[in-house]
Amino acid sequence: MKNTRILKWLALATCIVMFLATFGGGVVTRTDSGLGCGSEWPTCNGKFVPAHTIASVIEFSHRLVSGLAGILSIATFAAFLIYFKKRRDLQFFSLMTLLFVIIQGIMGAMAVVFSQSTAVMALHFGFALIAFASASMMTLGAWQADRDTHRMLRHDRKPVSRGFRNFIWASTVYTYIAVYTGAFLSHSTENRINSFLGIAPLSLHQIAAGVLFFVILAVGHFSYRKHPDHGDIRALGVVSVILIALQIVVGIALLYTAGRPELYMFVVLSHMLIIAALFAILCYMSYRVWQLSPEKMAVQNASLQRT
């Protein structure tokens, strides 16, 4: 029980630092600080302590936070392997967190040393989202495991339908695709790309965002109205709707602040962080509907009845 409490706080620390690393990556992009340390990595303009320029400090700070995220990911993965041997799901989330921290770190280093395409740079943000979502699922799962040690597990709860489970999974995948169109738009604007498959990046993202809005409304509706026995599913559905509503408002604000750099950067960062939170929520919801699927619930109920 003591190990469970320690692990949940370690997982939370990893998730927070991962969030800061994602935020820092957005700051680097929006302030054009990606080459603040020149084309060198891990040194910064030939030094391990950067020169006191804004761009170098921003880029170097992002590297430090990303490095800390990597260290915490290694520690968390090792801790889950040692102390949570029966929770293969949480071990998998911690492994995913570690792997994608490494992948995005490598891509970030390559972006500094070598020039990369717009598509690859957009995917770099996509990998950061997966790392943050994995850390979020690991954290929420660890806290749930700690709660379960203090209460009796219910075996009378109804499973979610296979249709709802598959719908949540499809919605999560589509959200990632919609996010990628936004990241592609951001980098295509910097690189002056006019179209992708004959569609302007802005139009592509607006179409994807519009469809996403209705998808998340459906997620919220089915989560809240059809699952009165599952308070967590209902809460996740409501939070998803709130986040997508905020995302639409902030997206509209982007159009009106485009000519005001002092406001535009903060609006863009808010836009990025909200979608990161939404994607993490949907990923955790995907995990919960898997746990509450008919097949999984049948195994759990059989185990509880034997005990």
Side-chain angles (χ1 to χ4, degrees):
M1 184 179 298
K2 182 179 179 181
N3 291 333
T4 302
R5 291 176 180 173
I6 295 174
L7 273 178
K8 74 176 187 179
W9 288 106
L10 178 61
L12 179 61
T14 304
C15 186
I16 292 174
V17 174
M18 198 70 64
F19 179 82
L20 294 176
T22 304
F23 175 77
V27 173
V28 169
T29 299
R30 301 320 309 175
T31 58
D32 294 325
S33 300
L35 295 179
C37 289
S39 58
E40 300 175 8
W41 192 94
T43 58
C44 186
N45 294 317
K47 301 178 181 179
F48 283 101
V49 179
H52 296 294
T53 63
I54 295 178
S56 63
V57 169
I58 291 175
E59 168 64 13
F60 195 74
S61 297
H62 177 55
R63 293 184 185 183
L64 289 178
V65 174
S66 298
L68 179 59
I71 294 172
L72 286 173
S73 298
I74 294 173
T76 306
F77 177 60
F80 274 100
L81 286 180
I82 296 172
Y83 298 110
F84 255 143
K85 295 180 179 180
K86 294 183 179 180
R87 293 297 302 268
R88 297 295 180 86
D89 50 350
L90 299 183
Q91 290 178 2
F92 175 74
F93 296 149
S94 63
L95 176 61
M96 289 286 289
T97 302
L98 177 59
L99 287 178
F100 277 95
V101 166
I102 294 173
I103 290 173
Q104 69 167 340
I106 293 174
M107 292 187 67
M110 292 179 64
V112 171
V113 179
F114 307 102
S115 60
Q116 292 191 358
S117 68
T118 296
V120 173
M121 289 303 298
L123 195 59
H124 178 49
F125 176 66
F127 286 158
L129 280 188
I130 295 177
F132 174 63
S134 299
S136 299
M137 289 189 289
M138 173 185 68
T139 301
L140 293 171
W143 281 71
Q144 177 192 342
D146 184 60
R147 289 195 303 269
D148 290 344
T149 60
H150 294 85
R151 65 185 182 186
M152 293 295 295
L153 293 176
R154 291 177 55 186
H155 57 82
D156 59 340
R157 300 174 71 181
K158 296 180 180 180
V160 302
S161 67
R162 294 182 179 87
F164 179 71
R165 178 197 63 187
N166 294 338
F167 175 63
I168 295 298
W169 289 353
S171 299
T172 303
V173 172
Y174 178 74
T175 299
Y176 185 78
I177 295 173
V179 170
Y180 188 78
T181 64
F184 181 81
L185 169 63
S186 177
H187 290 287
S188 65
T189 300
E190 295 173 3
N191 296 333
R192 298 180 181 178
I193 293 179
N194 296 320
S195 65
F196 177 74
L197 298 178
I199 305 175
L202 178 59
S203 299
L204 181 68
H205 181 56
Q206 287 175 334
I207 294 171
V211 173
L212 179 63
F213 176 72
F214 290 103
V215 167
I216 300 303
L217 286 183
V219 167
H221 171 76
F222 290 118
S223 298
Y224 191 83
R225 295 297 297 272
K226 303 296 183 180
H227 298 87
D229 293 335
H230 301 292
D232 55 345
I233 294 295
R234 299 182 84 184
L236 291 170
V238 170
V239 172
S240 297
V241 172
I242 292 173
L243 288 174
I244 194 62
L246 288 174
Q247 185 73 344
I248 294 298
V249 171
V250 174
I252 295 173
L254 284 173
L255 301 177
Y256 290 95
T257 59
R260 304 180 63 181
E262 69 281 3
L263 295 177
Y264 184 73
M265 185 183 75
F266 295 102
V267 177
V268 169
L269 291 175
S270 299
H271 196 60
M272 179 193 73
L273 295 179
I274 292 171
I275 199 63
L278 175 62
F279 182 67
I281 290 293
L282 289 174
C283 285
Y284 184 67
M285 187 181 290
S286 296
Y287 166 60
R288 287 296 290 145
V289 296
W290 170 75
Q291 287 184 315
L292 297 170
S293 62
E295 301 85 355
K296 191 70 175 177
M297 288 287 287
V299 173
Q300 178 179 306
N301 291 338
S303 177
L304 288 173
Q305 290 173 0
R306 286 197 298 268
T307 58

